[in-house]
């Protein structure tokens, strides 16, 4: 068998749905983890810069942010491993199937709007100033740090959604392959 025939045979047996789902899963996890980490770092900087100058006011929050960053690392490791295992399963079952068949306005004015980080438990009630109102709030919203953090949270959400879609694709492909093998009587007892 020549190189061309071997390559063609390998391509015919490739589980393209699983390959697409693996790529989407890895992309989603990388986007979620990278953007989530940077968004949490940006949140930390916004709290330090605009809401409280006293480190003791937000020391606990910083520890929680760091804990979430470590959770993100663990999530990445789990999903990369999980994606690789599902890809291997896709190769296994697709090969068997192909062998059988061949083939989300506020109406208030800006002067009355406030963001109080103390209300959400982000800062203690004695933190000063703890809240930002009116034109100061508007000026925060126009900063590059806020814009970057905002967009990173959106990108992290998109990454999480892409990961969920990829896992759904894996589930559909695996269910299809299982059903075909069971219907054809070639499936083993599971």
């Amino acid at each position: 068998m020549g190189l061309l025939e071997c390559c063609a045979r390998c391509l015919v047996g490739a589980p393209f749905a699983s390959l697409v789902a693996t790529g989407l899963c890895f992309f989603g996890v990388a986007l979620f983890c990278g953007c989530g980490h940077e968004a949490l770092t940006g949140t930390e900087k916004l709290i330090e810069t605009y809401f409280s100058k006293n480190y003791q006011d937000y020391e606990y929050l910083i520890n929680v942010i760091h804990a979430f960053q470590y959770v993100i690392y663990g999530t990445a490791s789990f999903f990369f491993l999980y994606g690789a295992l599902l890809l291997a399963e896709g190769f296994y079952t697709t090969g068997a199937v192909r062998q059988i068949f061949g083939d989300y306005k506020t109406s208030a004015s800006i002067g009355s709007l406030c963001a109080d980080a103390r209300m959400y438990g982000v800062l203690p009630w004695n933190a000063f100033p703890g809240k930002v109102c009116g034109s100061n709030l508007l000026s925060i919203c126009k900063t590059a740090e806020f814009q970057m953090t905002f967009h990173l949270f959106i990108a992290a959400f998109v990454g999480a959604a892409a990961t969920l879609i990829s896992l759904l694709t894996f589930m559909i492909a695996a269910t299809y392959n299982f059903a075909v093998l069971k219907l054809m009587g070639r499936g083993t007892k599971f």
Side-chain angles (χ1 to χ4, degrees), residues 110-111 113 132-143 146-147:
I110 188 66
L113 292 177
V132 179
C133 296
S135 61
N136 290 336
L137 180 60
L138 184 60
S139 66
I140 290 172
C141 294
K142 291 180 179 180
T143 63
F146 177 82
Q147 291 296 321

Side-chain angles (χ1 to χ4, degrees), residues 143-155:
T143 63
E145 298 98 353
F146 177 82
Q147 291 296 321
M148 179 60 83
T149 300
F150 176 76
H151 289 98
L152 285 170
F153 273 117
I154 291 173

Side-chain angles (χ1 to χ4, degrees), residues 2 16-17 20 26 32 37 40-41 43 49 55 74 93-94 99 106 114 119-120 122 129 134 137 156 169 172 181:
F16 292 108
V20 168
F26 289 173
F32 172 76
H37 181 275
L40 287 169
T41 301
T43 300
T49 305
Y55 179 75
T93 58
T94 301
Q99 189 175 24
T106 65
C114 289
M119 280 177 46
Y120 304 105
V122 174
L137 180 60
T169 305
I172 291 169
L181 290 173

Side-chain angles (χ1 to χ4, degrees), residues 17 25 51 107 115 117 190:
C25 180
F51 289 94
S107 58
F190 292 101

Side-chain angles (χ1 to χ4, degrees), residues 75-103:
T75 301
S77 302
F78 171 76
F79 276 106
F80 278 116
L81 178 62
Y82 190 58
L85 289 172
L86 288 173
L87 179 62
E89 181 272 339
F91 270 103
Y92 176 71
T93 58
T94 301
V97 168
R98 289 201 177 151
Q99 189 175 24
I100 293 170
F101 292 105
D103 295 38

Side-chain angles (χ1 to χ4, degrees), residues 15-26 79 82-83 86-87 89-91 93-94 160-178:
F16 292 108
S18 293
L19 288 170
V20 168
T22 301
L24 191 58
C25 180
F26 289 173
F79 276 106
Y82 190 58
L86 288 173
L87 179 62
E89 181 272 339
F91 270 103
T93 58
T94 301
T163 302
L164 289 175
I165 290 169
S166 72
L167 294 175
L168 180 63
T169 305
F170 274 125
M171 188 174 67
I172 291 169
T175 303
Y176 170 79
N177 289 334
F178 176 78

